[in-house]
Amino acid sequence: MFKVILVRHGESVWNEENRFTGWTDVDLTKKGVLEAIKAGKLLREHNYSFDIAYTSVLKRAIKTLDYILEETDLLWIPIIKSWKLNERHYGALQGLNKQETAIKYGEEQVMIWRRSFDVPPLPITAEDDRYPKRDLRYKELTDLEIPLGESLETTIERVIPYWEQEIIPQIKAGKHVMIVAHGNSLRALMKYIENISSEDIMDLNIPTGVPIVYELDDNLKPLERHFLGTQERVQEKIDVVADPGKIME
């Protein structure tokens, strides 16, 4: 049996401001920092240890991982950062407030962009200041790799090959693995691990800063999935994420 720990980053500045974030590199709020520290404390209290950790190239996930490793006294383990674990790219919606976007395009359209499986948001262009290749961390990506706006379906297309090619070999080698990423990159991974349908995955709400423990069999099929923390605390955080008046991607 194998165990893998997933953690969604703590609350970010744009989570707090109710903005579409995507690949925009915003920081954690004070609450987000406390969530990350609490996640580390929970993992330490339950005697979890890790040999290697994976995260995205966005600071809200990187800093969450750092706080967790500080609390678990594991700052020395290898950390692998990859853009393939980034949040879903929200295209031209990035930076927009959800209420303002709903006024402009309609609440129904905004919900389709947020929660449909295969409908991407309005795309950006190469001339847009938000075009990823303007950022040094993405300068080596090809034009085909650069997203202009992703659905969950296209997010899965980059997350799952990375899981299969880079992370699974570490798990099968007996390494204890932790992945700190984002709401939609983790939703993509959980869909694959649990074989969740395209319809049901959109109802899966992942709370910020709460460790998710997967127990997998020898074929990496799920035996169990549970959240660390009290049931009341976890449900409270899920309810915040599920609030239709807030955007927590």
Side-chain angles (χ1 to χ4, degrees):
M1 183 182 72
F2 303 103
K3 286 188 180 182
V4 178
I5 307 297
L6 311 181
V7 184
R8 183 180 180 180
H9 65 78
E11 181 190 68
S12 76
V13 173
W14 278 12
N15 288 152
E16 184 180 48
E17 295 178 2
N18 203 22
R19 296 181 183 273
F20 287 100
T21 309
W23 283 29
T24 309
D25 199 18
V26 300
D27 212 336
L28 296 173
T29 61
K30 291 181 179 179
K31 177 184 175 182
V33 170
L34 293 175
E35 287 178 329
I37 292 171
K38 176 63 174 177
K41 291 182 184 297
L42 279 171
L43 289 164
R44 186 186 67 224
E45 290 167 4
H46 287 80
N47 297 313
Y48 284 98
S49 186
F50 307 96
D51 301 303
I52 190 169
Y54 292 85
T55 189
S56 73
V57 296
L58 299 170
K59 70 176 71 172
R60 59 192 185 271
I62 295 169
K63 288 188 175 183
T64 297
L65 174 57
D66 285 346
Y67 283 115
I68 290 173
L69 295 181
E70 177 75 46
E71 289 298 321
T72 53
D73 197 24
L74 291 170
L75 284 169
W76 55 272
I77 69 170
I79 298 172
I80 311 299
K81 303 181 183 77
S82 175
W83 68 272
K84 292 186 177 181
L85 294 175
N86 276 12
E87 178 56 287
R88 169 188 172 188
H89 195 293
Y90 269 98
L93 300 182
Q94 292 189 168
L96 300 183
N97 176 273
K98 190 262 186 177
Q99 277 75 28
E100 295 170 356
T101 307
I103 291 170
K104 184 174 182 179
Y105 296 103
E107 186 69 31
E108 182 178 353
Q109 181 61 66
V110 171
M111 288 305 296
I112 290 172
W113 283 329
R114 286 186 63 201
R115 288 300 186 180
S116 66
F117 177 69
D118 57 0
V119 178
L122 294 171
I124 60 171
T125 66
E127 292 71 39
D128 195 304
D129 288 341
R130 296 166 294 180
Y131 183 60
K133 211 157 188 178
R134 296 176 183 272
D135 190 316
L136 287 175
R137 79 195 82 187
Y138 308 120
K139 67 178 181 179
E140 301 299 328
L141 272 60
T142 67
D143 290 341
L144 288 177
E145 289 175 312
I146 293 287
L148 303 179
E150 295 178 304
S151 63
L152 181 60
E153 182 179 39
T154 51
T155 304
I156 287 171
E157 290 172 3
R158 61 171 160 86
V159 171
I160 300 311
Y162 188 76
W163 162 258
E164 292 178 331
Q165 297 163 18
E166 303 295 334
I167 302 178
I168 282 180
Q170 297 289 345
I171 297 171
K172 289 187 173 180
K175 300 286 183 66
H176 297 111
V177 172
M178 176 168 54
I179 303 170
V180 177
H182 306 264
N184 282 297
S185 52
L186 291 180
R187 191 176 283 121
L189 185 54
M190 294 171 74
K191 181 184 189 305
Y192 180 79
I193 291 174
E194 298 186 44
N195 195 28
I196 301 172
S197 72
S198 300
E199 293 75 25
D200 291 342
I201 192 60
M202 305 317 298
D203 294 324
L204 176 65
N205 294 296
I206 305 174
T208 54
V210 177
I212 305 168
V213 180
Y214 270 103
E215 295 184 1
L216 307 174
D217 66 18
D218 291 344
N219 296 313
L220 300 184
K221 301 298 182 184
L223 298 170
E224 182 184 348
R225 181 246 288 175
H226 66 273
F227 297 98
L228 285 187
T230 65
Q231 182 175 351
E232 293 78 12
R233 177 178 178 270
V234 171
Q235 188 58 53
E236 178 182 324
K237 292 173 72 64
I238 288 175
D239 290 343
V240 169
V241 174
D243 181 357
K246 293 288 287 182
I247 288 180
M248 294 293 286
E249 275 90 29

